[in-house]
Amino acid sequence: MNILVLNCGSSTVKFQIIQSDPERLENGSERRLASGLLERIGSQALITFKAEGQTPHKSTAPLKDHRDAIDQILRWIVSPEAKIDSIRALSDLDAVGHRVVHGGEKFQKSVLIDKKVVAGIEDCIELAPLHNPANLKGIRACQDLLGEGVPQVAVFDTAFHSTLPETAYLYGLPYHLYLRHRIRRYGFHGTSHRYIAFKYGQVMGLEPKDVNIVSLHLGNGCSACAIKNGRSIDTSMGFTPLEGLIMGTRSGDVDPSIVDFLHSKEGLSIVEIDTMLNKQSGLLGVSGLTSDMRELEQEETHNQDRRARLAIDLFCRRVQKYVGAYLAIMNGADSVVFTGGIGQNSDVIRQRVCAGMDWLGLKLDEHKNRTLPRGEGGEISADDSKLKIMVLPTDEELMIAQDTVRCVAGARCG
Ligand code: ADP
């Protein structure tokens, strides 16, 4: 089956076409036929298309909305210059898998999209006002452009965390607020953490129920997840993706009283404070330079920039605190796994996170850590480390494609 995997953000659309054999799911037999990224939708968009085995093709075009963007993708897919193996016409696309950010309490796993599912995703807009509308635009554009005959599947970022126990998902707030407004921890990056649990099990030859790890997704957005017996039992992002670790531009955990204090001291409105916490904080806010970890590492090394160092130190310390907390509630684990742009690529951050955690059972092999090829997976713990330390590149698109195949097959069987 040829699956179009779509990830629609507020002004971006990312896609991959993944060819998957329904009889051999999870065997690593998938092929990436093509991929692409469309940025700055709403104005003169930057477009990158890449077919398997070919060099990326970059261009610009005025794209007014997500429908225009997806139309552009579909035209390219079937164009002679794309030369995508196995795709000659749109009818060669068998299904579409959409990343949907928020499934609320309603969606605990991936589902085939119908009118009821669309209404359910709409109901979750108040929980994810920036993300779910973009995801819905993508779904509607595909229905329009590909027709109702091409099945579409929604894969939710929150779904993997639907196994959180009450003690993990409730806040210490008046209980009626949960009942009235569903204010609780939902958690995000679920598809990535689920992939890490799946991949770890595969690499170590374990049944899913035997996977006990702390998964660290460190990218622009960052989250930690405690995975016990293959299920998410706690995670650092909360009601929104703002909570938890220090991220590129998000503050992560702060004392909520700061909001009121800032309101009176700086005369900022609630909306302005929310923007500050989400867009001007984290690595960017502390360093005053950039939200990009690679650039911060360079500033620290080449220019001895004090605030770049401070931002990195704060970042690593917060990760350490979550690792410690999760090992405590899990009563130990087998491994700590790094993933995401920072986790996969930065030996410096991995080294600083693991430093001084040997009492907890984490002992890095510095040589293995330093020499692990960028973007590749592998074990980086010392032979006498009680816990394994692993690097596994995440692959959310693969999870979305696999779920899409399963949901479509299930619907055909059912
Ligand atoms: P997103 O969360 O948007 O998917 P990524 O997972 O791609 O983002 O992560 C982006 C982050 O990864 C950026 O902070 C970037 O600087 C960082 N990163 C990528 N490569 C490296 C590297 N070699 N060293 C340090 N940081 C890196």
Side-chain angles (χ1 to χ4, degrees), residues 14 217 219-221 291-294 297 340-342 345-346 374:
K14 275 193 228 168
H217 180 112
N220 282 318
S291 63
D292 189 291
M293 184 60 92
R294 199 170 4 191
E297 285 182 17
I342 300 172
N345 295 303
S346 175
R374 286 253 151 87

Side-chain angles (χ1 to χ4, degrees), residues 111-364:
V111 285
L112 203 60
I113 296 173
D114 58 16
K115 282 201 179 97
K116 252 170 85 183
V117 169
V118 168
I121 298 171
E122 278 170 349
D123 288 345
C124 296
I125 286 179
E126 62 174 2
L127 297 171
L130 295 179
H131 296 103
N132 276 28
N135 304 150
L136 280 164
K137 283 180 194 163
I139 292 168
R140 292 202 175 101
C142 287
Q143 285 172 337
D144 246 27
L145 296 164
L146 291 169
E148 301 283 335
V150 179
Q152 300 195 53
V153 169
V155 179
F156 299 92
D157 247 24
T158 45
F160 183 59
H161 305 300
S162 65
T163 50
L164 293 187
E166 252 182 335
T167 44
Y169 73 67
L170 283 179
Y171 290 110
L173 292 169
Y175 187 72
H176 71 266
L177 293 177
Y178 165 64
L179 296 178
R180 212 184 276 168
H181 303 296
R182 293 290 172 236
I183 295 176
R184 51 162 286 177
R185 176 182 311 284
Y186 291 98
F188 300 87
H189 284 156
T191 310
S192 174
H193 291 302
R194 181 158 69 100
Y195 174 80
I196 294 302
F198 154 76
K199 190 71 190 173
Y200 182 80
Q202 206 177 45
V203 169
M204 305 305 287
L206 295 171
E207 292 292 316
K209 66 172 178 33
D210 296 325
V211 171
N212 294 300
I213 59 174
V214 176
S215 166
L216 298 172
H217 180 112
L218 310 178
N220 282 318
C222 301
S223 70
C225 183
I227 300 175
K228 187 162 179 164
N229 304 126
R231 295 149 74 97
S232 169
I233 63 155
D234 212 338
T235 192
S236 58
M237 284 177 165
F239 181 63
T240 74
L242 181 57
E243 195 181 346
L245 302 179
I246 289 176
M247 312 181 208
T249 61
R250 296 190 192 116
S251 62
D253 299 334
V254 290
D255 182 339
S257 304
I258 292 171
V259 174
D260 185 55
F261 191 79
L262 269 178
H263 172 63
S264 57
K265 286 282 176 192
E266 299 260 330
L268 296 174
S269 69
I270 298 291
V271 173
E272 286 168 330
I273 297 170
D274 189 64
T275 303
M276 193 232 5
L277 292 171
N278 276 289
K279 302 245 163 81
Q280 295 145 16
S281 300
L283 295 174
L284 171 67
V286 177
S287 70
L289 290 172
T290 173
S291 63
D292 189 291
M293 184 60 92
R294 199 170 4 191
E295 289 174 16
L296 283 179
E297 285 182 17
Q298 279 160 7
E299 285 297 329
E300 185 189 28
T301 317
H302 302 306
N303 300 329
Q304 285 76 48
D305 189 277
R306 192 189 87 82
R307 281 186 35 205
R309 166 162 308 134
L310 190 60
I312 297 175
D313 284 344
L314 255 77
F315 179 94
C316 294
R317 185 186 165 97
R318 182 74 57 86
V319 177
Q320 288 181 322
K321 282 169 77 168
Y322 270 91
V323 171
Y326 286 173
L327 291 177
I329 59 156
M330 293 171 78
N331 194 16
D334 298 329
S335 185
V336 171
V337 185
F338 287 88
T339 194
I342 300 172
Q344 286 163 214
N345 295 303
S346 175
D347 55 296
V348 173
I349 299 301
R350 294 193 300 256
Q351 190 269 326
R352 275 154 86 160
V353 167
C354 296
M357 295 190 86
D358 42 337
W359 183 83
L360 262 181
L362 282 180
K363 208 164 150 198
L364 198 71

